[in-house]
């Protein structure tokens, strides 16, 4: 009995270690350390410094009932041709007409990611899908299916609520190549997460340490991450960007 318990413990440790030692996907190394999120509105980002990239909403998938309605980006995005670009697929699950989370809906998301990946000039595509607790298994299945369907040389980045990377960490074994915790719009948990980050300097979940998302209209988050994604609630301008950089330089944010 004791031997069996030791074997189970060893297996559990091995599985946990397997994720924390997963090597970074080579495509991620081609991305700049600073990326702007460009949502569906019209954005002219031709003013960006050369060492920055853009993660832009290429398509959205609305889930409601049995339906999965795909909408391509409705407004233009202006960027220099050589700029690092990461297409983002945003998924919204209706609260008033909860989706059935069917195989067909899962496949619609995967197919949309595959189509978007054709426009990824750094071979990285991103999934943005904030799910409720009851929908987590579906998100896990979507990520697994997308990773299996995408070419091996294409990295899958996934955004995450900040709480998923702290005490409520549940993404340890998902098949994402990059997890981007969004350290903004944290609702009731904002104060607790910010205090923990100020103390630890990083998210507690090992899979959430390489990247972070921040917003220009919220207090700075003191966190060390190799890559930062920036969100602005207003159309991006050079003035908004320089204001963000000045704030970070004043605080010495990594």
């Amino acid at each position: 009995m004791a031997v069996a318990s030791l074997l189970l413990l060893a297996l559990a440790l091995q599985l946990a270690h397997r994720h924390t030692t997963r090597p970074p996907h080579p495509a991620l190394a081609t991305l700049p350390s600073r990326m702007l999120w460009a949502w569906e509105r019209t954005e002219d980002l031709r003013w960006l410094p050369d060492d920055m990239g853009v993660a832009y909403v290429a398509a959205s998938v609305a889930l409601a009932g049995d339906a999965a309605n795909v909408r391509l980006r409705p407004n233009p995005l202006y960027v220099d041709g050589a700029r690092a670009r990461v297409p983002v697929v945003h998924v919204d699950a209706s609260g008033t007409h909860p989706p059935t989370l069917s195989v067909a809906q899962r496949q619609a998301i995967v197919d949309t990611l595959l189509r978007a990946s054709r426009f990824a000039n750094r071979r990285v595509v991103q999934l943005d899908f904030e799910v409720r607790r009851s929908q987590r298994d579906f998100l896990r299945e979507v990520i697994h299916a997308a990773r299996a369907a995408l070419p091996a040389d294409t990295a899958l980045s996934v955004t995450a609520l900040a709480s998923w990377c702290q005490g409520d960490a549940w993404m340890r074994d998902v098949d994402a190549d990059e997890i981007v915790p969004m350290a903004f719009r944290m609702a009731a948990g904002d104060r607790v997460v910010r205090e923990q980050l100020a103390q630890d300097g990083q998210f507690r979940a090992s899979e959430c340490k390489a990247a972070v998302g921040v917003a220009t209209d919220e207090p700075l988050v003191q966190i060390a991450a190799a890559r930062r994604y920036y969100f602005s609630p207003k159309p991006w301008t050079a003035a908004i960007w320089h204001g963000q950089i000045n704030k970070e330089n004043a605080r010495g944010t990594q």
Side-chain angles (χ1 to χ4, degrees):
M1 194 71 177
V3 173
S5 298
L6 288 174
L7 288 175
L8 288 174
L9 176 61
L11 178 60
L13 291 173
Q14 182 180 5
L15 290 174
H17 182 68
R18 182 178 65 183
H19 184 91
T20 58
T21 59
R22 180 175 182 168
H25 193 289
L28 294 171
T30 70
L31 292 182
S33 60
R34 288 172 169 169
M35 302 283 296
L36 291 195
W37 268 318
W39 243 230
E40 289 189 322
R41 62 180 174 247
T42 298
E43 293 279 14
D44 187 345
L45 301 175
R46 288 172 288 193
W47 52 266
L48 279 178
D50 293 338
D51 61 348
M52 293 184 61
V54 177
Y56 68 98
V57 173
S60 298
V61 183
L63 305 180
D66 293 325
N69 297 312
V70 179
R71 183 178 75 164
L72 300 181
R73 181 182 182 86
N75 298 305
L77 172 71
Y78 301 102
V79 294
D80 295 333
R83 178 80 54 197
R85 298 187 300 276
V86 173
V88 179
V89 173
H90 171 72
V91 182
D92 179 67
S94 174
T96 56
H97 296 89
T100 57
L101 308 180
S102 65
V103 172
Q105 289 176 325
R106 182 185 71 196
Q107 192 60 45
I109 299 170
V110 172
D111 289 345
T112 306
L113 281 165
L114 283 172
R115 288 193 295 270
S117 70
R118 300 170 189 167
F119 302 96
N121 66 350
R122 294 297 187 273
R123 306 205 69 79
V124 180
V125 66
Q126 189 172 85
L127 172 65
D128 177 58
F129 188 4
E130 297 179 21
V131 298
R132 298 170 176 80
R133 184 177 294 270
S134 61
Q135 299 166 338
R136 289 178 178 181
D137 286 344
F138 180 71
L139 175 55
R140 191 191 307 274
E141 293 169 1
V142 168
I143 294 172
H144 178 76
R147 179 58 278 170
L150 287 166
D153 64 354
T154 299
L156 176 60
S157 174
V158 178
T159 64
L161 297 180
S163 62
W164 298 352
C165 294
Q166 290 295 90
D168 190 25
W170 63 273
M171 301 187 75
R172 186 177 304 276
D173 59 344
V174 300
D175 291 328
D177 299 299
E178 177 185 64
I179 295 177
V180 185
M182 297 177 290
F184 59 97
R185 308 294 193 268
M186 294 183 285
D190 185 276
R191 181 183 61 80
V192 173
V193 173
R194 288 182 181 276
E195 289 177 353
Q196 291 174 341
L197 291 176
Q199 176 180 337
D200 301 337
Q202 59 186 355
F203 282 96
R204 292 177 177 177
S206 59
E207 63 272 18
C208 299
K209 297 181 185 297
V212 67
V214 298
T216 60
D217 64 335
E218 292 200 7
L220 292 175
V221 175
Q222 291 293 116
I223 183 171
R227 182 171 301 105
R228 283 177 174 252
Y229 291 82
Y230 294 86
F231 170 79
S232 171
K234 300 178 180 180
W236 280 106
T237 65
I240 291 176
W241 172 245
H242 290 308
Q244 177 69 20
I245 290 302
N246 289 339
K247 285 195 301 183
E248 292 187 0
N249 289 341
R251 285 282 301 272
T253 302
Q254 298 297 318

